[in-house]
Amino acid sequence: MASLLVSGGRSLLRKNVLQTLARCQVAALKTGAGGDKSTTAEVVGEEKKLHLPLGETIVRRGDRPGELKDEDINWEWRGFSEDPIEDMKNHRALFFWAISVCLVLGPVYLYYMPERYMRAWVKREGKMEYARRLREGGPLIDPNVVDPAKVILPPEEEVPEPLYTL
């Protein structure tokens, strides 16, 4: 079992070294290295070493200022700007605010905001008033909620006839 793990690890290491070497050769070609200059890679134990010609550096495409990256060449227009970078920034900002803030924080705010119509308060107050009236022994519902002496009614002549009678 252990020998399978060791041989599998060696083949995986060999594969990683070959991929690294291929990437480095492509990068070196993009920097202009060629002719008798060569890029080599070696593995010493668990350590990978990359040898570049003197004065050469690895520059990937798009790392130089003003150079288009591969993803910029075929960029998908999202409708915010003609500039690809500005278009991407605006797109990301819009989706951050629309998804994160509006669709996530909006319902959280609505759920935890104070009660709008004070239904719980009215129910508690009604129970307290009911208990008080039971203790005092008076009527539960007072027929004169408003003092009749304070109510000003219009004269009988000004009161209109009802539209219908039952």
Side-chain angles (χ1 to χ4, degrees):
M1 183 70 177
S3 63
L4 286 174
L5 290 175
V6 170
S7 65
R10 285 184 188 150
S11 65
L12 185 62
L13 181 63
R14 203 172 297 125
K15 180 181 173 186
N16 288 342
V17 168
L18 291 175
Q19 287 175 350
T20 304
L21 179 59
R23 272 190 252 123
C24 293
Q25 286 176 342
V26 168
L29 289 174
K30 288 180 181 176
T31 61
D36 60 340
K37 299 178 181 178
S38 62
T39 304
T40 59
E42 66 176 336
V43 178
V44 178
E46 294 293 320
E47 188 177 323
K48 300 176 198 172
K49 291 185 179 179
L50 179 67
H51 301 287
L52 289 174
L54 190 60
E56 295 293 328
T57 58
I58 297 176
V59 177
R60 291 182 180 83
R61 182 174 182 189
D63 287 348
R64 295 183 181 130
E67 186 178 352
L68 282 177
K69 296 183 180 178
D70 287 335
E71 58 266 11
D72 292 342
I73 293 172
N74 295 321
W75 69 284
E76 183 179 333
W77 184 61
R78 293 176 177 95
F80 298 104
S81 174
E82 293 298 323
D83 179 32
I85 305 295
E86 189 70 26
D87 191 48
M88 179 188 62
K89 285 180 183 177
N90 290 339
H91 174 75
R92 288 180 179 171
L94 173 80
F95 273 83
F96 168 75
W97 285 102
I99 303 297
S100 299
V101 175
C102 295
L103 292 179
V104 174
L105 296 179
V108 169
Y109 171 75
L110 291 175
Y111 182 76
Y112 286 107
M113 72 182 214
E115 190 180 10
R116 186 172 181 176
Y117 299 109
M118 300 179 9
R119 289 185 184 108
W121 178 84
V122 168
K123 194 173 186 179
R124 275 193 320 268
E125 191 69 23
K127 287 181 179 179
M128 288 173 22
E129 185 66 21
Y130 177 76
R132 183 187 65 81
R133 289 182 182 180
L134 279 179
R135 265 194 323 267
E136 292 176 358
L140 293 180
I141 299 174
D142 188 14
N144 296 321
V145 176
V146 179
D147 186 18
K150 293 182 180 179
V151 176
I152 301 172
L153 296 174
E156 282 293 321
E157 301 86 37
E158 293 181 16
V159 176
E161 292 294 323
L163 295 176
Y164 57 89
T165 57
L166 296 175

